[in-house]
Short mmCIF file of all heavy atoms in Angstrom, two decimals:
data_model
loop_
_atom_site.label_atom_id
_atom_site.label_comp_id
_atom_site.label_asym_id
_atom_site.label_seq_id
_atom_site.Cartn_x
_atom_site.Cartn_y
_atom_site.Cartn_z
N GLY A 241 97.13 108.20 80.85
CA GLY A 241 98.06 109.07 80.13
C GLY A 241 99.46 109.10 80.70
O GLY A 241 100.45 108.88 80.00
N ASP A 242 99.58 109.36 82.03
CA ASP A 242 100.90 109.41 82.66
C ASP A 242 101.61 108.07 82.56
O ASP A 242 102.83 108.00 82.40
CB ASP A 242 100.77 109.79 84.14
CG ASP A 242 100.55 111.28 84.32
OD1 ASP A 242 100.62 112.01 83.32
OD2 ASP A 242 100.31 111.72 85.46
N THR A 243 100.82 107.00 82.66
CA THR A 243 101.40 105.66 82.64
C THR A 243 102.01 105.36 81.28
O THR A 243 103.13 104.84 81.17
CB THR A 243 100.33 104.61 82.96
OG1 THR A 243 99.60 105.05 84.11
CG2 THR A 243 100.94 103.25 83.22
N VAL A 244 101.28 105.68 80.22
CA VAL A 244 101.78 105.45 78.87
C VAL A 244 103.07 106.24 78.65
O VAL A 244 104.06 105.72 78.12
CB VAL A 244 100.72 105.83 77.81
CG1 VAL A 244 101.28 105.66 76.41
CG2 VAL A 244 99.47 104.98 77.99
N SER A 245 103.07 107.50 79.09
CA SER A 245 104.28 108.33 78.95
C SER A 245 105.44 107.73 79.73
O SER A 245 106.58 107.71 79.25
CB SER A 245 104.00 109.75 79.47
OG SER A 245 103.00 110.38 78.71
N ALA A 246 105.16 107.24 80.94
CA ALA A 246 106.21 106.68 81.77
C ALA A 246 106.80 105.41 81.14
O ALA A 246 108.01 105.21 81.15
CB ALA A 246 105.68 106.38 83.17
N LEU A 247 105.93 104.54 80.61
CA LEU A 247 106.41 103.30 80.00
C LEU A 247 107.18 103.59 78.71
O LEU A 247 108.16 102.92 78.40
CB LEU A 247 105.25 102.35 79.73
CG LEU A 247 104.50 101.86 80.97
CD1 LEU A 247 103.44 100.84 80.58
CD2 LEU A 247 105.44 101.27 82.01
N ASN A 248 106.73 104.59 77.97
CA ASN A 248 107.48 104.99 76.77
C ASN A 248 108.84 105.56 77.17
O ASN A 248 109.85 105.29 76.53
CB ASN A 248 106.69 106.03 75.97
CG ASN A 248 105.56 105.41 75.16
OD1 ASN A 248 105.66 104.26 74.74
ND2 ASN A 248 104.49 106.16 74.95
N HIS A 249 108.85 106.34 78.24
CA HIS A 249 110.10 106.92 78.75
C HIS A 249 111.07 105.82 79.15
O HIS A 249 112.29 105.92 78.94
CB HIS A 249 109.78 107.83 79.93
CG HIS A 249 110.99 108.38 80.64
ND1 HIS A 249 111.82 109.32 80.06
CD2 HIS A 249 111.53 108.11 81.87
CE1 HIS A 249 112.80 109.61 80.90
NE2 HIS A 249 112.65 108.88 82.01
N ALA A 250 110.53 104.74 79.73
CA ALA A 250 111.37 103.62 80.15
C ALA A 250 111.73 102.72 78.98
O ALA A 250 112.58 101.83 79.12
CB ALA A 250 110.64 102.80 81.22
N GLY A 251 111.08 102.94 77.83
CA GLY A 251 111.38 102.16 76.63
C GLY A 251 110.83 100.75 76.66
O GLY A 251 111.34 99.86 75.98
N VAL A 252 109.74 100.54 77.45
CA VAL A 252 109.24 99.16 77.61
C VAL A 252 107.77 99.00 77.23
O VAL A 252 107.21 97.92 77.41
CB VAL A 252 109.44 98.68 79.07
CG1 VAL A 252 110.91 98.65 79.42
CG2 VAL A 252 108.66 99.54 80.05
N ALA A 253 107.13 100.05 76.72
CA ALA A 253 105.70 99.97 76.43
C ALA A 253 105.37 98.78 75.51
O ALA A 253 104.36 98.10 75.70
CB ALA A 253 105.21 101.28 75.82
N ASP A 254 106.23 98.53 74.53
CA ASP A 254 105.96 97.45 73.58
C ASP A 254 106.13 96.06 74.20
O ASP A 254 105.70 95.06 73.61
CB ASP A 254 106.89 97.57 72.36
CG ASP A 254 106.54 98.77 71.50
OD1 ASP A 254 105.41 99.29 71.64
OD2 ASP A 254 107.39 99.20 70.70
N ASP A 255 106.77 96.00 75.37
CA ASP A 255 107.01 94.70 76.01
C ASP A 255 105.89 94.30 76.97
O ASP A 255 105.83 93.15 77.41
CB ASP A 255 108.34 94.71 76.76
CG ASP A 255 109.53 94.78 75.81
OD1 ASP A 255 109.40 94.29 74.67
OD2 ASP A 255 110.57 95.34 76.20
N PHE A 256 105.02 95.25 77.33
CA PHE A 256 103.88 94.91 78.18
C PHE A 256 102.86 94.13 77.36
O PHE A 256 102.79 94.27 76.14
CB PHE A 256 103.24 96.19 78.74
CG PHE A 256 103.82 96.63 80.07
CD1 PHE A 256 105.19 96.85 80.21
CD2 PHE A 256 103.01 96.81 81.17
CE1 PHE A 256 105.73 97.24 81.42
CE2 PHE A 256 103.53 97.22 82.39
CZ PHE A 256 104.88 97.43 82.52
N THR A 257 102.06 93.30 78.04
CA THR A 257 101.03 92.53 77.34
C THR A 257 100.08 93.45 76.61
O THR A 257 99.73 93.22 75.45
CB THR A 257 100.24 91.66 78.34
OG1 THR A 257 101.16 90.86 79.08
CG2 THR A 257 99.25 90.77 77.61
N PHE A 258 99.65 94.52 77.29
CA PHE A 258 98.72 95.47 76.68
C PHE A 258 98.87 96.82 77.37
O PHE A 258 98.94 96.90 78.60
CB PHE A 258 97.27 94.98 76.81
CG PHE A 258 96.28 95.81 76.03
CD1 PHE A 258 96.09 95.60 74.68
CD2 PHE A 258 95.56 96.82 76.65
CE1 PHE A 258 95.19 96.38 73.96
CE2 PHE A 258 94.67 97.60 75.94
CZ PHE A 258 94.48 97.37 74.59
N VAL A 259 98.93 97.88 76.58
CA VAL A 259 98.98 99.24 77.11
C VAL A 259 97.80 100.01 76.54
O VAL A 259 97.69 100.19 75.32
CB VAL A 259 100.31 99.94 76.77
CG1 VAL A 259 100.29 101.38 77.28
CG2 VAL A 259 101.49 99.19 77.37
N SER A 260 96.92 100.44 77.40
CA SER A 260 95.73 101.18 76.98
C SER A 260 96.04 102.67 76.93
O SER A 260 96.64 103.22 77.86
CB SER A 260 94.59 100.93 77.98
OG SER A 260 93.50 101.80 77.71
N THR A 261 95.63 103.30 75.84
CA THR A 261 95.82 104.75 75.73
C THR A 261 94.64 105.50 76.33
O THR A 261 94.63 106.73 76.36
CB THR A 261 96.00 105.17 74.26
OG1 THR A 261 94.87 104.72 73.51
CG2 THR A 261 97.26 104.57 73.67
N ALA A 262 93.62 104.77 76.78
CA ALA A 262 92.45 105.41 77.37
C ALA A 262 92.80 105.99 78.74
O ALA A 262 93.55 105.38 79.51
CB ALA A 262 91.31 104.41 77.50
N GLY A 263 92.26 107.14 79.05
CA GLY A 263 92.48 107.76 80.35
C GLY A 263 91.32 107.51 81.29
O GLY A 263 91.35 106.61 82.13
N GLY A 264 90.26 108.32 81.14
CA GLY A 264 89.10 108.20 82.03
C GLY A 264 88.44 106.84 81.98
O GLY A 264 88.04 106.30 83.01
N ALA A 265 88.34 106.24 80.79
CA ALA A 265 87.70 104.93 80.67
C ALA A 265 88.49 103.87 81.41
O ALA A 265 87.93 102.99 82.08
CB ALA A 265 87.53 104.55 79.21
N PHE A 266 89.82 103.93 81.32
CA PHE A 266 90.66 102.95 82.01
C PHE A 266 90.51 103.09 83.52
O PHE A 266 90.39 102.10 84.24
CB PHE A 266 92.12 103.13 81.59
CG PHE A 266 93.04 102.04 82.08
CD1 PHE A 266 93.19 100.87 81.36
CD2 PHE A 266 93.75 102.19 83.26
CE1 PHE A 266 94.03 99.85 81.81
CE2 PHE A 266 94.59 101.18 83.73
CZ PHE A 266 94.73 100.01 82.99
N LEU A 267 90.49 104.34 84.01
CA LEU A 267 90.34 104.57 85.45
C LEU A 267 88.99 104.07 85.94
O LEU A 267 88.89 103.45 87.00
CB LEU A 267 90.51 106.05 85.77
CG LEU A 267 91.92 106.54 86.08
CD1 LEU A 267 91.91 108.02 86.38
CD2 LEU A 267 92.52 105.77 87.24
N GLU A 268 87.92 104.36 85.18
CA GLU A 268 86.59 103.92 85.61
C GLU A 268 86.50 102.40 85.60
O GLU A 268 85.83 101.81 86.44
CB GLU A 268 85.50 104.56 84.74
CG GLU A 268 85.37 106.04 84.99
CD GLU A 268 84.07 106.64 84.48
OE1 GLU A 268 83.13 105.87 84.20
OE2 GLU A 268 83.99 107.88 84.37
N TRP A 269 87.19 101.76 84.64
CA TRP A 269 87.23 100.31 84.64
C TRP A 269 87.95 99.81 85.90
O TRP A 269 87.53 98.85 86.54
CB TRP A 269 87.93 99.80 83.38
CG TRP A 269 88.30 98.36 83.46
CD1 TRP A 269 87.48 97.28 83.33
CD2 TRP A 269 89.60 97.84 83.79
NE1 TRP A 269 88.19 96.12 83.52
CE2 TRP A 269 89.49 96.44 83.80
CE3 TRP A 269 90.84 98.42 84.03
CZ2 TRP A 269 90.57 95.60 84.07
CZ3 TRP A 269 91.91 97.61 84.31
CH2 TRP A 269 91.78 96.21 84.32
N MET A 270 89.05 100.48 86.29
CA MET A 270 89.78 100.09 87.50
C MET A 270 88.95 100.31 88.76
O MET A 270 89.18 99.69 89.79
CB MET A 270 91.10 100.86 87.60
CG MET A 270 92.17 100.38 86.64
SD MET A 270 93.77 101.17 86.92
CE MET A 270 94.36 100.31 88.39
N GLU A 271 87.97 101.21 88.66
CA GLU A 271 87.07 101.46 89.78
C GLU A 271 85.96 100.42 89.86
O GLU A 271 85.17 100.40 90.81
CB GLU A 271 86.43 102.85 89.66
CG GLU A 271 87.42 103.99 89.84
CD GLU A 271 86.85 105.34 89.42
OE1 GLU A 271 85.65 105.40 89.07
OE2 GLU A 271 87.59 106.34 89.45
N GLY A 272 85.88 99.54 88.83
CA GLY A 272 84.85 98.51 88.82
C GLY A 272 83.52 98.96 88.26
O GLY A 272 82.50 98.29 88.45
N ARG A 273 83.52 100.09 87.58
CA ARG A 273 82.26 100.60 87.03
C ARG A 273 81.90 99.92 85.71
O ARG A 273 82.77 99.49 84.96
CB ARG A 273 82.37 102.11 86.77
CG ARG A 273 82.59 102.94 88.00
CD ARG A 273 82.28 104.38 87.69
NE ARG A 273 82.96 105.31 88.57
CZ ARG A 273 82.79 106.62 88.51
NH1 ARG A 273 81.99 107.15 87.60
NH2 ARG A 273 83.44 107.41 89.34
N ASP A 274 80.60 99.87 85.43
CA ASP A 274 80.14 99.46 84.11
C ASP A 274 80.31 100.64 83.16
O ASP A 274 79.89 101.76 83.48
CB ASP A 274 78.66 99.06 84.14
CG ASP A 274 78.49 97.59 84.53
OD1 ASP A 274 79.45 96.83 84.33
OD2 ASP A 274 77.42 97.24 85.02
N LEU A 275 80.91 100.42 82.00
CA LEU A 275 81.09 101.49 81.02
C LEU A 275 79.94 101.42 80.03
O LEU A 275 79.73 100.39 79.38
CB LEU A 275 82.43 101.32 80.29
CG LEU A 275 83.67 101.18 81.19
CD1 LEU A 275 84.94 101.13 80.35
CD2 LEU A 275 83.75 102.33 82.18
N PRO A 276 79.17 102.50 79.88
CA PRO A 276 77.97 102.46 79.05
C PRO A 276 78.23 101.99 77.62
O PRO A 276 77.46 101.21 77.06
CB PRO A 276 77.48 103.91 79.06
CG PRO A 276 78.03 104.49 80.31
CD PRO A 276 79.34 103.81 80.54
N GLY A 277 79.32 102.48 77.03
CA GLY A 277 79.63 102.10 75.64
C GLY A 277 79.98 100.65 75.47
O GLY A 277 79.82 100.07 74.40
#
């Protein structure tokens, strides 16, 4: 969430390869966890 807001604030979100709007799921993926869904 904070990251998306920050990139939008910087006006560059559309220039990144991919911006995920997921919060908890993105963090758990960064932790290396298997996501049940």
Side-chain angles (χ1 to χ4, degrees):
D242 282 354
T243 313
V244 177
S245 297
L247 297 184
N248 283 330
H249 174 70
V252 298
D254 291 342
D255 291 331
F256 270 55
T257 306
F258 188 82
V259 177
S260 171
T261 57
F266 188 86
L267 270 180
E268 290 197 16
W269 166 77
M270 286 187 76
E271 292 168 5
R273 297 196 204 183
D274 274 337
L275 307 184

